[in-house]
Amino acid sequence: MKAEYTRREFLGFTAAAIVTPLFPPQASRTRIATLAGTGVQGLAVNGDLADHATLNNPFGVVIGPDGSLHWVDYGSHLLLRLDLRSKKISVIAGTGTKGYSGDGGPASAAQLNTPHELRFDSKGNIYIAERDSHVVRFIDMKAKTISTLAGNGTPGFSGDGGPANKSQLARPHSIALDRADNVYICDIMNHRVRKIDAKTEVITTFAGTGELADTPAEASLDGTPLSGPRSIDITPDGQMYLVLREGNRVFAIDVEHCPYGGGDLKIIAAIEEPAVIARILTHLDLPIRRRSAHRRVRWLCSGRPDPQGKNGSATGPTIRLGPHSHKQSNCVEIKQRRVR
């Protein structure tokens, strides 16, 4: 017998079908589980099982080269490591007592002061941004010793162009390393990103003017203010991301572009002497000739014979060498252009 429904009955049936699906939802396979900590504030010690350990404001979690988990315990002034196989915690640096001491000795016997973030370099060594000591510490993971890489322990701004450990920082919050192991520091109270050269350990200002002012949506790094640089990271391909706390923005900075020429100059090599360019070009089997010896040194080369155009114009790569980052080094651009 064919059932017949009134309009009201039909609408009621439809509404019920919407509210109660014909097929029950599948249970999510994604689960959240506690890896370390009990939720009770406390002090972790060597050998603690992770799920029984008490932590105190863990910050800046990072996977180490050995696959273990590392973080700084901001409230207990420790750098901790978790072996993901044994589920045991070990103390890499700090005593649990707030302070700034221990340089030259074992990292585990040193005092830290509100560590905010850690990073590894390409050799597996550790860098720590120590906010309230106004320093960046370095741990040699082979020797297990600690030293100060940047900052003299007194808040302020000074030292650009000199040894990083003689400089002044003001509450460094975040650090990042590029592929060459250069260190970038969010010097938040100075409204700057500072850079430490991996080879010379000389510190400079990479970005920011020191002024607390609005940062435009797009600009060259030179002369552009940064309003509270709070957090920084660099991808493996060289893209930098920078969070501004007071600026309430996230910026992308291509650290492989020269800030001159509107920021569109691709850096192929950062060099100190023009002669290095000659060696690069020789290695690439590209002829060179110098066009000037002024502040900006220009090099022209051609992949074709007759670059002077005696038999007509030729198109070849142009290499331009110019000052980069406050004349600390040079940036190099290669692009196709008409050579006459």
Side-chain angles (χ1 to χ4, degrees):
M1 182 175 177
K2 184 177 180 181
E4 294 184 2
Y5 299 98
T6 66
R7 185 170 180 268
R8 178 174 292 182
E9 288 172 334
F10 176 76
L11 290 175
F13 174 80
T14 304
I18 292 173
V19 174
T20 307
L22 296 176
F23 299 99
Q26 294 292 323
S28 173
R29 294 182 180 179
T30 303
R31 308 282 293 177
I32 186 168
T34 299
L35 187 61
T38 63
V40 176
Q41 190 177 90
L43 182 70
V45 297
N46 271 319
D48 272 352
L49 288 174
D51 58 355
H52 288 78
T54 53
L55 308 179
N56 190 345
N57 282 273
F59 274 35
V61 64
V62 172
I63 300 293
D66 61 354
S68 58
L69 205 63
H70 296 71
W71 68 89
V72 287
D73 227 31
Y74 173 90
S76 58
H77 317 288
L78 298 173
L79 167 58
L80 300 176
R81 173 183 179 271
L82 170 60
D83 187 310
L84 294 175
R85 292 183 178 178
S86 69
K87 308 298 182 185
K88 289 186 178 182
I89 286 178
S90 55
V91 177
I92 301 298
T95 63
T97 301
K98 180 178 181 178
Y100 172 48
S101 68
D103 275 2
S108 58
Q111 289 181 319
L112 308 180
N113 191 345
T114 54
H116 220 267
E117 196 168 78
L118 76 134
R119 299 285 185 174
F120 285 88
D121 66 13
S122 62
K123 298 176 182 177
N125 300 309
I126 295 177
Y127 299 76
I128 308 171
E130 232 177 292
R131 194 194 71 177
D132 289 357
S133 288
H134 314 284
V135 297
V136 174
R137 307 287 281 277
F138 171 79
I139 300 177
D140 184 314
M141 289 302 289
K142 289 184 177 179
K144 308 297 183 185
T145 56
I146 193 169
S147 59
T148 296
L149 175 70
N152 61 15
T154 304
F157 173 72
S158 69
D160 270 6
N165 61 4
K166 302 295 184 183
S167 68
Q168 286 179 291
L169 307 175
R171 307 197 98 188
H173 272 55
S174 182
I175 49 178
L177 279 75
D178 63 20
R179 288 176 291 186
D181 283 341
N182 299 309
V183 181
Y184 298 82
I185 308 167
C186 280
D187 198 1
I188 192 167
M189 300 306 292
N190 285 321
H191 306 290
R192 299 170 188 260
V193 174
R194 312 285 286 277
K195 178 182 177 181
I196 303 172
D197 185 278
K199 294 181 179 179
T200 64
E201 295 190 358
V202 168
I203 192 169
T204 55
T205 292
F206 172 76
T209 62
E211 179 186 9
L212 177 58
D214 185 53
T215 305
E218 291 189 28
S220 168
L221 289 180
D222 282 353
T224 299
L226 298 179
S227 185
R230 168 63 177 78
S231 189
I232 191 170
D233 202 3
I234 302 175
T235 62
D237 63 358
Q239 183 77 26
M240 175 185 287
Y241 293 95
L242 179 66
V243 171
L244 301 187
R245 186 177 67 184
E246 285 79 10
N248 299 303
R249 287 178 176 175
V250 179
F251 283 85
I253 302 171
D254 190 338
V255 295
E256 293 189 351
H257 277 71
C258 177
Y260 290 85
D264 61 352
L265 301 182
K266 178 71 175 178
I267 294 178
I268 291 176
I271 67 171
E272 296 296 333
E273 297 294 335
V276 177
I277 291 294
R279 291 200 294 273
I280 293 172
L281 297 180
T282 300
H283 177 72
L284 296 174
D285 292 323
L286 295 172
I288 60 173
R289 64 187 178 90
R290 183 178 293 183
R291 288 287 298 271
S292 69
H294 301 294
R295 281 183 56 203
R296 242 176 228 276
V297 181
R298 196 178 188 83
W299 302 78
L300 293 183
C301 66
S302 174
R304 295 184 182 180
D306 195 21
Q308 300 302 317
K310 295 178 182 178
N311 299 318
S313 297
T315 300
T318 297
I319 295 183
R320 185 165 69 216
L321 169 63
H324 170 54
S325 185
H326 304 286
K327 303 179 185 178
Q328 295 150 19
S329 60
N330 296 302
C331 60
V332 184
E333 174 203 15
I334 291 186
K335 64 181 181 181
Q336 292 296 114
R337 65 169 295 169
R338 183 71 61 179
V339 181
R340 298 185 183 277

